[in-house]
Amino acid sequence: MSPAPTQPLGSSQLELESAAQCLKAGGLVAFPTETVYGLGADAENPEALAKLYAVKGRPTHHPVIVHLASVEQLSQWAVDIPEAALVLTKAFWPGPLTLILKRSSRVPDAVTGGQDTVGIRVPDHPLALALLQSFGGGVAAPSANRFGRLSPTTAQHVQQDLGEDVDAILDGGPCQVGVESTIVAFREGQPFILRPGLITEEQIQQALQAVLAPFESRQPNSGNAPMSTVSRAPGTLASHYAPRTPLRLFSRPELQAQLAGLQPQDRVGVMALSDASALVSPAFSCGKWVKMPNKPEEYARRLYATLRELDALGLSCLWVERVPSDAQWAAVADRLARAAFVG
Ligand code: TXA
Ligand code: MG
């Protein structure tokens, strides 16, 4: 019999302190952030980091984000910080923004995959901040899922994915943002978006009073990726964040045409921006229909949990209605495109 999965802890002071102690002792602690749950390890403990990569099933040359309790700690972890980065920390930290900066000597190779940059963020979640404060140092934390799978947005998702391979799980309820942080990197001091998230290009431009080149022009497959880090960031690989059930994206007319060809025995999961009645006749049935929210923030919050629920139903495929192409939807569109990718 396999050992029992780790049971989530609550948020009492005692539980937080025991989680911080666990990090200090080289253990792995899953914790909630406002984006998704992270799988944390002491960023300065090479053995803990080796365990983190092993449990995650992640190639060791893929860097992880260092989480800090406050912006005051930034100068211990990064050097030559561009002015624009400081402006972004003031505008968005604590919050769902990761900055890729030149690393200080404090940052071990195991965190950065040997690169000279480090990803850093101060998360906006009371439990994450309390854990980070109690721990004191930097916590290296990728999303708390096995490599290439959907990110967890509840403690139960973490438990299902990682079982007994994690030493402690802090339960902070469902994540409010639901998709991973926006990642901003710099080249010669000029910022660009490496991964879209809740914080949009527009908000970043507004904070900086400067125009960024559009995110689309930097897709890894577009041939004009701006720096080597692009290919080193798994969040930017085409086939990432995937459910096990094959997923296809359709425009609304395409979806309607596909649905018209369904046979009664077909077990297909549909994620659409409307109820079934808007697209098919009342007699229609498929495996499962989920009406997704029409607001991008609400859609993002529900995205991974919905994909997990559909994935558990043993459906033959998932048909997803494309979301609008405007900037507010960039993070959701990006994650859906990756979930649909057949590599
Ligand atoms: O919202 C988030 O960012 C969550 C929560 C837990 O903070 N974390 C997260 O971590 O999504 P992860 O490891 O699943 O994705 C982090 C992304 C990866 O694509 C990684 O390659 C990239 O950040 N990254 C980290 N350090 C980097 C660096 N130095 N250069 C380029 N990319 C980097
Ligand atoms: Mg991840």
Side-chain angles (χ1 to χ4, degrees), residues 26-29 38-43 45-58 64-65 110-111 139-146 162 165:
L28 299 184
V29 175
L39 179 62
D42 178 351
N45 179 336
E47 277 146 45
L49 292 167
K51 203 156 83 177
L52 178 74
Y53 276 86
V55 165
K56 180 95 186 145
R58 183 169 189 158
V64 287
I65 296 171
V111 165
V139 173
S143 50
N145 53 287
R146 308 271 184 202
L162 302 181
D165 288 346

Side-chain angles (χ1 to χ4, degrees), residues 33 35-38 58 63-65 67 98 100 115 117-119 121 141-143 180-181 183 194-195 229 232-235:
T33 79
T35 58
V36 300
Y37 275 71
R58 183 169 189 158
V64 287
I65 296 171
H67 296 69
T98 296
I100 307 294
Q115 303 188 58
T117 54
V118 59
R121 102 177 176 95
S143 50
E180 303 80 356
S181 57
I183 301 183
L194 211 48
R195 177 175 73 183
T229 48
R232 308 283 291 276

Side-chain angles (χ1 to χ4, degrees), residues 90-147:
K90 286 202 183 78
F92 300 113
W93 279 1
L97 175 75
T98 296
L99 297 174
I100 307 294
L101 300 168
K102 193 161 170 206
R103 67 161 156 165
S104 77
S105 56
R106 184 169 179 173
V107 183
D109 277 343
V111 165
T112 69
Q115 303 188 58
D116 63 357
T117 54
V118 59
I120 300 184
R121 102 177 176 95
V122 178
D124 186 16
H125 190 291
L127 269 187
L129 290 172
L131 176 69
L132 290 165
Q133 264 148 20
S134 175
F135 175 66
V139 173
S143 50
N145 53 287
R146 308 271 184 202
F147 185 63

Side-chain angles (χ1 to χ4, degrees), residues 59-91:
T60 48
H61 61 277
H62 283 297
V64 287
I65 296 171
V66 175
H67 296 69
L68 302 177
S70 82
V71 67
E72 280 75 51
Q73 293 171 311
L74 182 60
S75 58
Q76 298 167 32
W77 296 86
V79 293
D80 301 341
I81 303 169
E83 184 55 35
L86 295 174
V87 173
L88 294 179
T89 64
K90 286 202 183 78

